[in-house]
Amino acid sequence: MIEQRKLRVATVSLAGCFGCHMSFLDIDEHLFELLERIEFDRSPLTDIKHCGPCDIGLVEGGVCNAENVHVLREFRANCRTLVALGACAINGGLPAQRNHLDIGACLDEVYRSRPGLARAQVPNDPELPLLLDKVHPIHEVVRVDYFLPGCPPSGEAIWKFLSDLVNGRTPRVTGPLLHFD
Amino acid sequence: MTTEVPQSLIDEVLTAVGSTPDRLLQILVGLQSRLDYLPPALISRLAARLGIARARVEGVAGFYSFLHLAPAGRYRVRFSDNIVDRMLGSEALSEAMCARLGVRPGELSEDGRVMISTTSCTGMGDQGPALLVNDRAIGRLDPQRVSEICDLILHDTPLAAWPPELFAIDDNIRRADALLTSHLAPGSALAAAMALGREGWLAQVQASRLRGRGGAGFTTAVKWLACRDAPGERKVVVCNADEGEPGTFKDRVLLHRHAELVFEGMTLAAWATGAREGFLYLRGEYAWLRPRLEAVLAARRAAGLLGAGILGATGFDFDIAIHLGAGAYVCGEETSLLESLEGKRGTPRIRPPFPVTHGYLGHPTVVNNVETLAKTCLIARDGGAAFAASGTAQSAGTKLLSISGDCARPGVYEYPFGVSIQQVLDDCGAVDVLAVQVGGASGVTIAPYEFHRRIAFEDVPSAGAFMVFDSSRDIFEVARNFVHFFAHESCGFCTPCRVGTALLKGYMDKLADGHGALQDLADIDWLDRLLKNASHCGLGSSAPNPVVDTLLKFRPAYERRIQHADFQPAFDLDGALARAREMTGRDDAGAHLDSGTGVIR
Amino acid sequence: MSGTFLLDGQPVPFEPGQTILEAARAAGRYIPHLCWHPDFPPHGSCKLCIVKVAGRHVSGCAMPAKEGWEVESDTPEMNGERRALLQMLFVEGNHFCPSCEKSGDCQLQALAYDLEMLTPRFDHFFPDRPVDASHPEVLLDFNRCIYCELCVRASRDKDGKSVFALTNRGIHKHLVVNAESGRLADTDFAADDMAANICPVGVILHKRVGFAVAIGERTYDRAPIHEVAMRPEAASDD
């Protein structure tokens, strides 16, 4: 008899658009089923600021700045199973399309060179996380256990994936559920 | 620098080397040596002149390391980057030269005079560190020689006026056996074979059990018979002198001292197969040998040993042309070599069909190694049975070894097949040996517990390289050097080799940079398997060999570099913030990342 | 010599000279491929068609079938290696499906779906590759090139133009067009060339029609590639 303790799940969006989270909500009434088996730790749904020990971590978005690195490491350190959720977490996605540009040139273009800027200066407030020179998928920064592609993965795909995971099956998403776009 | 190219220059080169598209590589080599690089307008005009697409010309020019589509200097200095050259101090010498001439490695000097870069092994492991300057080779580099070279460059002294002793290359023959002591008069082997008749000669080659010395060990007589019997009147003999395997230089010595034997062997192959045309495919690194080789060919023509009616035999017409490579290891693979001979990118062909039926321009073609062809002279002189009397059951005759690395007497050694590795080590004066790399980068790494093994096709096969590493060496760095070599030399045709060698290089660098994690070793294993299984040609399938062998036999060299039990990014996280720090002027704690543990510095 | 070989245990007849892939296809059996195309001789570069024969890995598209061979293709081992080859193709280029107008019609993507590739697994190269929008009718986005050379072959051998060629080598290998300027607009390329309609991925794109069919209703949204590739019209399909 498997212990029926509720699994603790944390979710976060790094360099993403929250689309994967929205898609998560698209599992609609399955949320009620799911909530009988899981409870949320850190997540935009709970507003908990730091991730505690968890069974599952769902990470949306790639890694584009120093804060993303800290949060991702916190997730890896606390989650038994870490999942890359959606295109950006898996290959950097849209944010990674800046990767062929020099980040210095980007900052210069945005904060210094554009006409009409009053105080043309790259923001240097220590509160602001510094940008990495490239946007990385999360598996290039920490070990990742599972990957669920899609932009976003459909609600059905997320439901299939999570119900596999929660019920102890190796998650498998195939056929029409498997999409990169 | 002007991009105007006089039409007369193109005409001159086309007249010299031919003006058909299959001569394209030779034309480009000729233009490069006259113009120092191949400007875009030249590519366009040449394409128009040859009546082929410009993109094809650009594609061929872009394939070969020694051809430049952008200015690369009047002096193009390339340090041989084999591990043996490195062990002899090539990196420090290269740095010294860069500092003296005020250039960064791989970048053209501001005055357009010089570019200093590295190149794959130049075949001078017994007298390194070595370099190439344009098409000349210089060995035995030391600070004084480097300084002398810098002076010559700074004074714009033309290469032709450099002191000849700078270009002196030693043969370093340390042990001579049947081949290197043969002293055959030019034409004598040929006369003996012709006296036997074509059939009789082939029977002797069969009896000799001669196998290819280039590495694969294919039975020579079978190859010759298959070519002779293949449909088609026009047959071709090709001598593979693209001796690119790192650590090998015995073909250089054969071509330097015994070119007669090599050309006579090619003529013997023509006698057996009925070929009328022959090519010597000479690697670009050995271009300096060409004038000498041309002189030998001219002398043989004058003596009736080449040309129409060889030695008075009506219908025995055969001649040899030298074709230069231009810095592409993959062209040592025989089908890549044929593509290159046809003036194309050196991409390996699909096999079957094999060259013996569909070779140069689709004609039945024999491709043999330099040493193999030279050996056939001994068979002609002494008979097949006498040849087969030395060596071992599966490996008749002798083998030339190119010995370099940590030993007292590097050079060329000729042994009957079956010699033990320990014997070779004793003879060359190697002590405290950690490992021997037999057969070059694509060969096998031999650990001390295997030193009783023998050089032979049935035990440790070898194309000729024998690199010795003593216990002061880091075997991981040896393997990493070879991995870099393969990534640089991959032709890029097939997915596994093109991407796999680049990925493997990434993993080896990750370990070297201190980012190694246990998971990396598993990933390396997986890449090794993919390369071995799925690659299109021998380059890709043997690229993982040095890693596979050293992981098996010298695993601690890898484990020592594992910094993390689990996982570690390949890139330096804190370094990835450097540009943003520079742009914001920040250097507070939050502007840094710990690259290891995630703790803020 | 005609005869029969076994493909994953099932007999497949073959005609003289037929390769493993061609014979399998004629018998209605699919072997994955990207660079192979029915209108061209085998190329053998993508290696997605690798199969195992007597312990050896060979290219199914290029290896002539032989009597009595036992060929393994649709096995966890071979599909695992194919998945890794796909992962290599994904990381060496810039394959951002959500922003690619070929998404849903792309063979690389479709094969990745078929072989259940969930992650590119390796570290990305994120190369800096150009886009050429100079031509009035066709856009070239080299970020997605997989070097199948179908455009090279089609332009040279069918269109008689040689608009494309490969230059450089190894991981630096890349396509060039037949113009000193390097611009497609300065070549004789035309939108109805075979080469303009053969790219299996999203490099050669016709302008102004990219979203004529909505995402979600495209070729491989409707059917998996192992079905689409076996349709008779697939022979000349773009």
Side-chain angles (χ1 to χ4, degrees):
Chain A
M1 186 67 189
I2 293 172
E3 179 197 3
Q4 283 301 309
R5 171 181 73 80
K6 279 192 174 181
L7 298 173
R8 237 179 133 70
V9 175
T11 78
V12 72
S13 179
L14 305 175
C17 68
F18 282 94
C20 297
H21 276 80
M22 298 307 289
S23 202
F24 188 8
L25 298 180
D26 276 346
I27 70 174
D28 299 335
E29 68 276 16
H30 289 307
L31 269 176
F32 296 110
E33 270 173 80
L34 193 61
L35 282 171
E36 287 173 15
R37 303 296 308 279
I38 70 161
E39 59 192 8
F40 283 104
D41 191 283
R42 171 177 173 160
S43 168
L45 308 173
T46 61
D47 212 26
I48 298 172
K49 301 298 183 198
H50 286 280
C51 178
C54 283
D55 298 286
I56 299 169
L58 303 175
V59 180
E60 172 192 337
V63 184
C64 83
N65 63 30
E67 188 205 17
N68 291 161
V69 175
H70 295 307
V71 174
L72 181 59
R73 282 171 165 173
E74 184 181 286
F75 266 63
R76 179 67 275 179
N78 283 288
C79 302
R80 285 202 180 92
T81 299
L82 195 68
V83 181
L85 181 66
C88 300
I90 286 173
N91 77 347
L94 294 182
Q97 291 185 62
R98 74 154 158 93
N99 281 357
H100 65 285
L101 301 169
D102 169 46
I103 191 63
C106 290
L107 289 168
D108 189 77
E109 172 79 20
V110 172
Y111 293 109
R112 284 201 202 136
S113 309
R114 274 192 310 167
L117 293 171
R119 277 182 61 246
Q121 180 196 328
V122 179
N124 60 358
D125 190 322
E127 288 289 301
L128 296 172
L130 285 187
L131 294 171
L132 296 166
D133 57 359
K134 284 188 189 331
V135 179
H136 291 269
I138 67 168
H139 76 269
E140 294 181 9
V141 180
V142 297
R143 180 171 55 77
V144 176
D145 301 301
Y146 297 103
F147 300 83
L148 177 56
C151 184
S154 64
E156 294 93 318
I158 293 173
W159 171 240
K160 167 72 167 70
F161 182 93
L162 286 178
S163 47
D164 277 349
L165 204 54
V166 167
N167 290 300
R169 299 185 295 263
T170 304
R172 189 151 176 251
V173 172
T174 61
L177 292 183
L178 177 55
H179 265 274
F180 296 166
D181 56 10
Chain B
M1 190 169 289
T2 172
T3 54
E4 268 309 300
V5 178
Q7 185 66 41
S8 60
L9 187 72
I10 296 180
D11 289 338
E12 184 193 317
V13 170
L14 293 185
T15 306
V17 305
S19 55
T20 48
D22 56 297
R23 304 299 295 160
L24 178 57
L25 177 55
Q26 302 312 293
I27 295 166
L28 292 170
V29 167
L31 287 167
Q32 160 85 44
S33 76
R34 284 167 178 79
L35 289 167
D36 293 329
Y37 86 107
L38 305 165
L42 171 76
I43 299 287
S44 300
R45 286 175 77 168
L46 181 60
R49 185 65 206 279
L50 297 177
I52 57 177
R54 184 191 190 283
R56 176 175 161 196
V57 180
E58 187 180 356
V60 171
F63 185 86
Y64 297 92
S65 294
F66 294 173
L67 299 178
H68 298 275
L69 289 162
R74 297 190 295 284
Y75 299 96
R76 296 170 295 283
V77 178
R78 298 180 172 91
F79 279 84
S80 178
D81 200 28
N82 187 23
I83 185 70
V84 168
D85 293 275
R86 286 192 174 206
M87 282 156 45
L88 292 165
S90 64
E91 290 162 294
L93 293 171
S94 165
E95 277 169 34
M97 187 181 279
C98 285
R100 173 80 192 286
L101 297 176
V103 293
R104 277 200 291 261
E107 291 180 14
L108 181 62
S109 63
E110 277 177 28
D111 56 7
R113 179 187 279 143
V114 59
M115 185 152 89
I116 299 167
S117 57
T118 55
T119 189
S120 301
C121 181
T122 61
M124 305 267 282
D126 57 334
Q127 49 204 297
L131 61 73
L132 299 173
V133 51
N134 298 356
D135 57 356
R136 305 297 299 271
I138 301 176
R140 299 185 314 277
L141 291 171
D142 56 22
Q144 196 193 329
R145 287 201 131 197
V146 164
S147 169
E148 190 182 351
I149 293 167
C150 290
D151 289 340
L152 291 161
I153 290 173
L154 289 170
H155 288 105
D156 284 319
T157 312
L159 267 187
W162 288 25
E165 61 269 21
L166 215 43
F167 303 117
I169 306 296
D170 297 325
D171 289 337
N172 288 333
I173 294 174
R174 310 285 187 180
R175 187 185 194 281
D177 207 295
L179 184 67
L180 296 177
T181 58
S182 58
H183 304 299
L184 273 157
S188 60
L190 195 52
M194 287 169 70
L196 296 169
R198 294 181 194 253
E199 284 292 339
W201 165 229
L202 262 169
Q204 291 303 315
V205 180
Q206 269 179 306
S208 75
R209 296 189 284 112
L210 176 66
R211 294 173 67 174
R213 285 348 192 211
F218 198 79
T219 305
T220 306
V222 172
K223 205 183 253 189
W224 288 11
L225 272 167
C227 177
R228 185 196 68 175
D229 295 340
E233 277 304 297
R234 189 173 163 192
K235 310 281 164 72
V236 183
V237 170
V238 175
C239 174
N240 183 346
D242 193 50
E243 186 178 42
E245 191 63 51
T248 316
F249 45 81
K250 47 101 184 166
D251 291 345
R252 185 245 300 155
V253 172
L254 279 178
L255 292 166
H256 192 240
R257 184 175 287 208
H258 297 287
E260 287 281 1
L261 290 178
V262 179
F263 292 137
E264 188 134 337
M266 290 179 72
T267 317
L268 287 167
W271 178 243
T273 57
R276 298 162 66 93
E277 59 191 315
F279 292 97
L280 179 86
Y281 187 99
L282 185 65
R283 69 187 304 227
E285 290 82 347
Y286 293 171
W288 53 275
L289 279 167
R290 183 173 190 164
R292 228 183 135 99
L293 294 170
E294 294 285 7
V296 174
L297 287 175
R300 290 183 70 86
R301 281 184 202 111
L305 299 173
L306 284 175
I310 289 172
L311 287 178
T314 310
F316 184 18
D317 309 334
F318 180 69
D319 211 332
I320 297 169
I322 295 175
H323 180 113
L324 269 183
Y329 164 77
V330 71
C331 290
E333 197 280 340
E334 62 178 3
T335 63
S336 296
L337 185 150
L338 292 170
E339 289 286 297
S340 185
L341 263 185
E342 295 178 8
K344 301 176 189 164
R345 296 165 56 80
T347 300
R349 295 175 179 173
I350 288 171
R351 297 178 305 174
F354 292 93
V356 285
T357 58
H358 298 75
Y360 178 66
L361 297 175
H363 305 294
T365 303
V366 155
V367 183
N368 282 135
N369 174 258
V370 171
E371 183 184 346
T372 313
L373 288 163
K375 290 272 162 66
T376 62
C377 296
L378 300 182
I379 299 167
R381 184 188 66 182
D382 305 331
F387 184 88
S390 71
T392 69
Q394 303 294 319
S395 316
T398 63
K399 182 79 194 86
L400 300 190
L401 300 180
S402 316
I403 300 184
S404 63
D406 296 313
C407 63
R409 292 175 293 281
V412 170
Y413 290 66
E414 183 182 14
Y415 286 101
F417 267 118
V419 65
S420 74
I421 286 164
Q422 186 61 57
Q423 179 70 52
V424 178
L425 288 171
D426 291 345
D427 291 351
C428 71
V431 292
D432 192 21
V433 179
L434 172 73
V436 184
Q437 184 72 16
V438 180
S442 68
V444 49
T445 313
I446 300 285
Y449 68 83
E450 306 170 276
F451 286 175
H452 64 282
R453 293 179 66 185
R454 294 170 187 280
I455 303 288
F457 293 110
E458 61 267 45
D459 193 352
V460 182
S462 172
F466 192 101
M467 288 179 273
V468 184
F469 304 101
D470 72 21
S471 63
S472 72
R473 306 298 177 182
D474 181 347
I475 201 74
F476 171 84
E477 282 300 332
V478 174
R480 189 163 79 98
N481 177 265
F482 293 152
V483 167
H484 275 246
F485 163 76
F486 284 116
H488 177 67
E489 295 296 345
S490 169
C491 80
F493 173 74
C494 73
T495 309
C497 180
R498 181 181 68 247
V499 189
T501 54
L503 285 169
L504 195 54
K505 175 180 159 184
Y507 279 106
M508 295 297 275
D509 289 352
K510 180 176 193 251
L511 262 61
D513 292 345
H515 300 306
L518 215 46
Q519 177 62 36
D520 297 330
L521 297 189
D523 287 354
I524 287 172
D525 271 338
W526 174 225
L527 277 176
D528 286 348
R529 217 176 90 191
L530 282 166
L531 273 162
K532 200 158 270 305
N533 287 343
S535 293
H536 184 69
C537 81
L539 191 156
S541 60
S542 57
N545 285 356
V547 180
V548 171
D549 277 359
T550 51
L551 257 176
L552 181 72
K553 300 171 186 176
F554 299 95
R555 198 172 179 86
Y558 288 78
E559 287 166 341
R560 214 170 279 155
R561 290 178 161 80
I562 301 303
Q563 307 285 339
H564 308 270
D566 180 24
F567 175 95
Q568 175 72 3
F571 66 103
D572 174 8
L573 281 159
D574 189 55
L577 291 176
R579 190 82 173 101
R581 277 195 297 269
E582 182 194 322
M583 292 301 292
T584 56
R586 281 178 55 189
D587 197 27
D588 55 285
H592 288 276
L593 280 168
D594 186 291
S595 286
T597 60
V599 178
I600 297 170
R601 194 170 80 182
Chain C
M1 187 185 67
S2 61
T4 304
F5 67 91
L6 292 178
L7 178 62
D8 296 326
Q10 299 296 313
V12 171
F14 66 90
E15 296 301 317
Q18 255 184 335
T19 64
I20 292 171
L21 185 146
E22 287 163 352
R25 199 176 152 79
R29 307 283 301 280
Y30 174 70
I31 295 176
H33 55 82
L34 283 171
C35 72
W36 181 84
H37 190 287
D39 296 351
F40 293 90
H43 190 58
S45 69
C46 75
K47 298 295 170 200
L48 263 296
C49 69
I50 49 168
V51 293
K52 198 164 159 184
V53 183
R56 276 182 62 218
H57 291 62
V58 300
S59 299
C61 74
M63 182 56 74
K66 285 210 175 63
E67 174 66 32
W69 263 1
E70 292 183 31
V71 178
E72 297 170 41
S73 175
D74 190 10
T75 64
E77 182 193 6
M78 300 319 296
N79 286 334
E81 294 189 6
R82 288 177 184 137
R83 201 177 301 122
L85 293 170
L86 289 172
Q87 289 167 325
M88 288 181 173
L89 290 172
F90 269 86
V91 297
E92 80 162 327
N94 293 311
H95 296 279
F96 298 109
C97 297
S99 61
C100 176
E101 64 182 64
K102 196 68 178 278
S103 192
D105 288 325
C106 169
Q107 292 181 25
L108 178 69
Q109 183 193 56
L111 211 44
Y113 293 165
D114 230 26
L115 292 166
E116 296 182 39
M117 190 198 98
L118 301 176
T119 165
R121 175 196 161 107
F122 301 111
D123 285 4
H124 288 70
F125 290 42
F126 292 127
D128 184 4
R129 294 194 193 159
V131 173
D132 179 352
S134 64
H135 194 278
E137 293 172 278
V138 174
L139 172 80
L140 297 179
D141 188 337
F142 294 111
N143 286 291
R144 303 154 186 164
C145 186
I146 57 168
Y147 313 109
C148 66
E149 291 183 60
L150 278 168
C151 61
V152 175
R153 293 180 275 159
S155 186
R156 183 188 60 211
D157 303 336
K158 305 288 183 185
D159 304 328
K161 292 183 177 179
S162 293
V163 168
F164 300 101
L166 288 169
T167 191
N168 218 305
R169 71 176 191 222
I171 201 68
H172 306 294
K173 185 173 85 165
H174 61 93
L175 272 180
V176 288
V177 301
N178 191 33
E180 192 175 312
S181 66
R183 287 160 28 103
L184 188 65
D186 296 331
T187 70
D188 53 354
F189 191 66
D192 57 356
D193 284 356
M194 186 177 186
N197 299 286
I198 203 165
C199 183
V201 294
V203 178
I204 305 176
L205 299 167
H206 290 258
K207 291 182 175 177
R208 296 176 291 278
V209 295
F211 294 94
V213 179
I215 297 272
E217 293 168 19
R218 298 181 172 189
T219 312
Y220 304 109
D221 295 327
R222 295 170 174 277
I225 193 167
H226 67 260
E227 282 178 29
V228 176
M230 299 304 288
R231 291 174 190 158
E233 72 270 26
S236 52
D237 189 21
D238 64 351

